[in-house]
Amino acid sequence: VTDPLLSTGVGQSYGTHGQAASRSFGGGKWKRTARAVFVVCSALVIAVVALVGVHNSRRTSLAAALDDFDAKYLQAEASGSAGKDFLRKLQEMWFVAQFKGMHQLAQDTTRVANQMQLAAFPSDMLAAVKEDVNPCDDFYEFACGTWDEQNKDKIDKFKTSVMLGWTKASDSNREDMTKIFEADNGPAATYYKSCMDVDRIDAKGHTVMDPWLKSIDSVNDKDSLVKVITAFNKEGMDVLFEWGIDKDPRNGQQYAFELGQSDTSLPDKTYFLEQSEEMETHRKVFKEVVANMFRLIDRPEADKEAQMVFDLQKSLAEIQIDRVDSRGDHGTPITWAEMEATTPWWPWRAWITDLSTCTPYVDGSAPYCKGDYEALRAVGTPEGKPLLLTNKGFFQKLQPLLEKMDIEQVKAEMRWKLISGSISSLGTKYLDTYFPLLKDLYGTQSRSPRPRKCYNSAVQSVPWPSAKLYYDKIFHQANQDAARSMLEDIRKEFRSALTQENWMDSQDREAAAAKLDAMFFQVGGPTDEEGKPDWPVQTTSLDGLLGPDMYQNDIIISRQSMDRALLKLTNVPKRRDWGSGNTPLEVNAFYGPDRNGLWIPAGILQAPFFDASLPDSRNFGSIGSILGHEMSHGFDDHGREFDQRGELKDWWHPDTVKGYQSRTACYKDVFDRFTVKGRHVNGALTLGEDLADAGGIKFAHRAFMAKATRTEADERVFFTSFAQTWCSVERAKAVESQMLSDPHAPGKFRVIGAMTQFPAFAKAFHCPTGSPMAPPTDKVCHLW
């Protein structure tokens, strides 16, 4: 779980677990007495700080004198200048005592300061707080420590993690939608019910894959290998390299055809290449699972073929471009002649011709297409759409690998890809045989309960019909207006900052502000430019097509999706389109750099992220920081390369770019220092998300402060609401995988990284300069 694994590099919490006393005072006499003690203690703080080196082994009289203070009264006193000064002195005394090793004094002053600062917190937020941790020491532990301790042993066996906010919202959606699936008869509900028919799925076994397995068996030379791989490509399965169709990053009026490096079955190339006992165990389990799956489909030399799969994937991992470089690769326009020169073993022109030809499927069923895909055939020619090559270095190194490759090795890889790609639709024994790999990689202890598994399969396989059900039957649509208003408040503050950045050229400031103004917001569900509902064709395209057989349903869905993707080349991209993998049902939010748009799904516009009954401090701290985060992605190290129309070009002066890079390097260095079990966060990989967090919290805070008169107590709730958005406990193996493959840093680091670089936080909690959460001004990163 999280706490034993994560090292922040900013200090540890001090003091033992304890509960601060909170006793109520009575009438005016007690109030007057308390006020007198308050004044005396203010002076006493200065004296104690001066004498801190002397009283390092005795409980302080300050803590004893204040133990019985009514926290609400102290909080009220803290609202004035004298109270703020007292809090500041308490925090200074804590910092000095901690530095001197006087842990009891540090604990006592923390308890008193926290009593004052937490008095205005609502009970549900307070329940997560660890009150004996000073917020200036480790703000994540302060905001989430008690919740983490209470939940670290409560991760469901089938889960990799539990998050205070995200899990609650996701589980709420799942529970509501499962009831709808059980009662509805539309395509999403039909798919869900086909998944729940375990007896039917078990009875079919692996016979559902037989046509494809026989096709693989038919391969006996290079020509037949290319032919079968192409047939598999038409069904959505990639082998040796990947390809796809997406919006041309340089021209928003057309789509482009892209080639990219092959993926592998383990989370990152590190799992194949690192020489460590831990990674060797992962490799061993992977080979065992592949071999056992091959036995289920009656392969006579299962262990040998499993080793073939591993060897091929390891060879591919060795030539993969790393995640940091891949993240910034937008594809280079190239011709088929240049591709043939780069990787001549593969017959590129013959392949694209075959791929574009409308033919029956591997199982003999009629094609979904109505004719050849002529626009696909013309890709890479002067008359056609662009051919883009990403990961060029991979394709250069792929050539010698292909030259020495054993065809039987590729056939084994294809069998594995077929099985692993079909696993969700296979029977119980296949799921049980595959599960040890998930357990080894992510630490899960059991498979998901069938209803949960089928819900996830349904919303992933039939996403838009599922989303429409959620939007119509569950979503509280009034939340859309509140979210739009908040977005405009945040945009106003962001725009104000952009126009004042002196490291930017004046023309670049104007261009950046224009980009921000041009950024569109999709909130709740899909709409057109006039704000009218605009649900995509996928919402109804499966009506009447699905039935009781889950595997057959997956085939229908895959073929329809592939046909729609290949036809994109004849269309002009819709700027407001949600994309292939995002829907209003998701508990998430996202920004599209190649569209300069921001999508806030209905699924996240609910408690605990947003609730109209909650104060602004909580809503701006949680959903506000998320909205600001997505808006800031328009200007992160990746988003800033696209102009206001979402087109890739050099639109900043070189000096502005240099200033930007010098400032963002600071954030990279901050996150590079965080470690999990000795493995450092890759600050270059997480940079885009870290910059978005920094911008999100800053502009959400500014919008919050500008909306009404705020107190320090309001600000403390705001910052704690942000932190509690990321309260989470995770399995150790899941964190390891995240560290190597996820562009997001672990939640604890996102909180600490963002707060240490935002002086308004330190001011609200009266953190002494130089304390772990309040670095000196010259050590604080600043971009906007």
Side-chain angles (χ1 to χ4, degrees):
V1 293
T2 302
D3 287 349
L5 298 174
L6 307 187
S7 172
T8 64
V10 297
Q12 303 298 318
S13 58
Y14 292 81
T16 57
H17 303 301
Q19 184 174 357
S22 179
R23 302 176 187 170
S24 297
F25 285 91
K29 179 180 178 181
W30 284 109
K31 293 286 187 180
R32 289 191 295 274
T33 302
R35 188 182 298 276
V37 175
F38 182 92
V39 174
V40 171
C41 287
S42 296
L44 181 59
V45 169
I46 301 174
V48 173
V49 171
L51 297 173
V52 71
V54 178
H55 298 285
N56 60 358
S57 62
R58 299 177 60 186
R59 179 172 173 81
T60 68
S61 58
L62 171 65
L66 293 179
D67 267 349
D68 290 336
F69 259 62
D70 177 66
K72 290 185 179 179
Y73 174 66
L74 285 176
Q75 198 278 328
E77 286 291 337
S79 64
S81 59
K84 292 178 182 179
D85 189 54
F86 180 56
L87 269 175
R88 179 180 59 79
K89 289 182 170 63
L90 278 173
Q91 294 291 50
E92 288 176 351
M93 184 165 67
W94 157 78
F95 185 40
V96 174
Q98 176 179 277
F99 180 76
K100 291 287 188 179
M102 300 176 64
H103 302 319
Q104 186 62 59
L105 178 58
Q107 180 188 1
D108 291 341
T109 52
T110 289
R111 188 172 69 251
V112 175
N114 282 354
Q115 273 190 313
M116 298 173 70
Q117 297 188 111
L118 291 170
F121 275 43
S123 59
D124 61 319
M125 289 187 70
L126 193 59
V129 170
K130 192 169 184 180
E131 296 186 38
D132 61 354
V133 173
N134 197 297
C136 303
D137 191 12
D138 183 334
F139 189 56
Y140 177 89
E141 186 69 9
F142 165 82
C144 301
T146 294
W147 186 89
D148 280 9
E149 288 181 355
Q150 293 172 346
N151 288 274
K152 65 183 179 182
D153 297 322
K154 296 181 181 179
I155 303 176
D156 289 326
K157 290 184 177 181
F158 50 85
K159 291 182 178 180
T160 60
S161 64
V162 177
M163 302 185 74
L164 190 157
W166 301 87
T167 299
K168 180 179 179 181
S170 296
D171 285 352
S172 176
N173 287 358
R174 175 179 51 79
E175 291 166 5
D176 291 340
M177 287 296 295
T178 298
K179 294 176 183 177
I180 292 175
F181 286 162
E182 290 170 346
D184 195 70
N185 293 312
T190 300
Y191 187 95
Y192 173 82
K193 292 167 186 173
S194 74
C195 176
M196 290 295 292
D197 192 351
V198 178
D199 290 342
R200 183 187 185 100
I201 296 170
D202 284 346
K204 287 183 174 292
H206 71 262
T207 60
V208 294
M209 299 185 291
D210 280 353
W212 292 270
L213 291 171
K214 291 177 181 177
S215 178
I216 296 171
D217 292 341
S218 71
V219 172
N220 53 29
D221 56 18
K222 176 181 175 180
D223 289 343
S224 58
L225 175 66
V226 172
K227 183 177 180 63
V228 172
I229 287 179
T230 307
F232 276 52
N233 290 160
K234 293 181 180 182
E235 304 251 26
M237 191 180 89
D238 295 323
V239 183
L240 300 176
F241 59 89
E242 295 186 352
W243 62 275
I245 296 170
D246 206 348
K247 181 174 172 290
D248 183 354
R250 296 168 181 83
N251 182 353
Q253 298 304 303
Q254 65 182 9
Y255 285 98
F257 186 90
E258 300 178 353
L259 295 171
Q261 66 188 10
S262 174
D263 198 2
T264 50
S265 298
L266 299 181
D268 184 74
K269 62 190 295 184
T270 306
Y271 285 73
F272 288 96
L273 307 179
E274 183 177 278
Q275 296 304 309
S276 67
E277 183 177 347
E278 188 173 26
M279 291 301 169
E280 184 57 42
T281 298
H282 292 315
R283 293 190 280 268
K284 179 175 180 291
V285 172
F286 173 61
K287 287 184 282 188
E288 289 173 350
V289 168
V290 175
N292 289 334
M293 295 298 284
F294 281 168
R295 291 186 182 94
L296 291 180
I297 60 170
D298 305 319
R299 297 302 302 170
E301 296 184 287
D303 290 321
K304 179 180 178 181
E305 290 190 358
Q307 186 65 48
M308 288 181 179
V309 171
F310 174 80
D311 290 343
L312 178 56
Q313 292 207 12
K314 181 182 179 183
S315 296
L316 292 170
E318 287 172 341
I319 64 174
Q320 283 178 338
I321 308 303
D322 70 37
R323 293 180 183 276
V324 174
D325 291 337
S326 293
R327 180 174 170 270
D329 188 345
H330 305 300
T332 302
I334 196 171
T335 65
W336 291 115
E338 290 172 312
M339 277 305 306
E340 288 171 339
T342 302
T343 316
W345 188 93
W346 187 261
W348 294 105
R349 291 190 227 215
W351 171 72
I352 197 66
T353 298
D354 194 0
L355 189 65
S356 63
T357 302
C358 185
T359 57
Y361 294 109
V362 172
D363 62 355
S365 58
Y368 198 93
C369 47
K370 303 298 187 291
D372 291 349
Y373 299 98
E374 297 297 341
L376 176 60
R377 187 168 294 167
V379 159
T381 69
E383 300 78 24
K385 297 298 188 291
L387 169 64
L388 303 182
L389 179 63
T390 61
N391 317 122
K392 183 177 181 179
F394 170 86
F395 286 92
Q396 292 171 330
K397 295 177 181 178
L398 182 62
Q399 174 63 23
L401 189 156
L402 294 174
E403 289 174 344
K404 64 181 182 180
M405 178 182 64
D406 182 353
I407 287 179
E408 291 302 318
Q409 189 179 38
V410 185
K411 291 168 67 177
E413 169 76 350
M414 293 177 71
R415 292 186 189 99
W416 168 245
K417 286 214 164 195
L418 175 63
I419 298 170
S420 59
S422 303
I423 192 64
S424 178
S425 307
L426 298 179
T428 304
K429 66 179 179 181
Y430 299 91
L431 294 173
D432 287 341
T433 303
Y434 189 81
F435 175 73
L437 180 59
L438 302 180
K439 181 178 181 179
D440 175 68
L441 293 176
Y442 307 111
T444 48
Q445 301 301 301
S446 71
R447 292 197 289 111
S448 286
R450 192 70 187 184
R452 182 177 185 272
K453 175 257 188 293
C454 290
Y455 165 77
N456 289 332
S457 293
V459 299
Q460 291 166 11
S461 299
V462 198
W464 279 99
S466 300
K468 190 66 163 64
L469 285 172
Y470 177 82
Y471 188 87
D472 289 345
K473 296 179 179 294
I474 299 173
F475 177 51
H476 184 55
Q477 297 184 24
N479 288 349
Q480 292 178 128
D481 292 337
R484 288 193 189 99
S485 176
M486 190 178 289
L487 279 165
E488 292 299 344
D489 290 342
I490 294 169
R491 171 151 53 188
K492 178 181 177 181
E493 297 302 322
F494 201 162
R495 195 183 196 286
S496 176
L498 282 175
T499 59
Q500 298 176 40
E501 297 300 344
N502 57 18
W503 55 269
M504 299 181 77
D505 176 271
S506 60
Q507 291 183 336
D508 294 336
R509 287 197 296 268
E510 292 176 5
K515 176 178 179 176
L516 184 64
D517 291 342
M519 188 182 294
F520 68 82
F521 303 145
Q522 286 261 318
V523 181
T527 57
D528 61 19
E529 292 182 359
E530 297 178 354
K532 298 177 181 178
D534 187 26
W535 291 82
V537 64
Q538 299 97 297
T539 308
T540 57
S541 62
L542 290 170
D543 288 358
L545 297 182
L546 304 186
D549 190 298
M550 184 182 184
Y551 199 88
Q552 187 61 33
N553 287 339
D554 280 332
I555 292 174
I556 293 170
I557 293 166
S558 175
R559 290 172 178 173
Q560 187 184 92
S561 176
M562 180 61 68
D563 180 66
R564 188 166 49 247
L566 295 179
L567 289 173
K568 280 183 178 180
L569 289 168
T570 64
N571 301 327
V572 175
K574 293 177 65 175
R575 187 179 169 211
R576 302 171 73 88
D577 182 70
W578 284 59
S580 58
N582 307 314
T583 77
L585 177 52
E586 292 184 62
V587 181
N588 206 343
F590 22 86
Y591 171 81
D594 61 349
R595 287 171 167 79
N596 192 28
L598 194 155
W599 289 262
I600 308 298
I604 199 171
L605 294 177
Q606 61 174 303
F609 303 107
F610 174 83
D611 189 329
S613 67
L614 295 178
D616 278 353
S617 54
R618 297 187 66 174
N619 286 332
F620 271 92
S622 185
I623 193 66
S625 65
I626 293 170
L627 302 182
H629 170 104
E630 298 306 331
M631 197 177 296
S632 298
H633 268 311
F635 301 90
D636 69 17
D637 60 319
H638 176 63
R640 68 108 191 144
E641 297 176 315
F642 294 79
D643 67 10
Q644 70 180 64
R645 296 191 300 177
E647 294 182 345
L648 183 68
K649 59 179 60 176
D650 292 329
W651 58 292
W652 281 4
H653 189 278
D655 288 342
T656 299
V657 174
K658 184 178 179 180
Y660 180 92
Q661 291 173 338
S662 68
R663 284 162 174 76
T664 57
C666 176
Y667 289 93
K668 173 188 175 298
D669 293 342
V670 167
F671 281 83
D672 277 342
R673 293 197 294 268
F674 298 139
T675 62
V676 175
K677 294 174 64 178
R679 191 184 297 277
H680 285 264
V681 169
N682 185 342
L685 179 62
T686 66
L687 182 59
E689 299 299 330
D690 302 333
L691 295 176
D693 279 345
I697 191 67
K698 176 175 288 188
F699 298 122
H701 178 258
R702 289 185 181 179
F704 166 68
M705 296 297 288
K707 196 172 182 66
T709 301
R710 310 295 188 186
T711 66
E712 275 190 354
D714 294 330
E715 289 188 86
R716 289 190 285 269
V717 171
F718 170 93
F719 288 120
T720 306
S721 179
F722 164 77
Q724 291 186 347
T725 300
W726 301 107
C727 292
S728 61
V729 289
E730 303 171 72
R731 298 190 187 279
K733 290 182 177 180
V735 176
E736 176 186 62
S737 172
Q738 178 185 4
M739 291 282 288
L740 291 170
S741 61
D742 196 332
H744 302 83
K748 178 171 185 172
F749 301 150
R750 296 181 72 168
V751 172
I752 292 175
M755 293 297 92
T756 54
Q757 306 310 307
F758 190 31
F761 159 80
K763 182 180 178 182
F765 282 92
H766 298 276
C767 297
T769 300
S771 60
M773 293 299 302
T777 302
D778 62 348
K779 300 295 183 182
V780 174
C781 304
H782 173 76
L783 180 59
W784 308 116

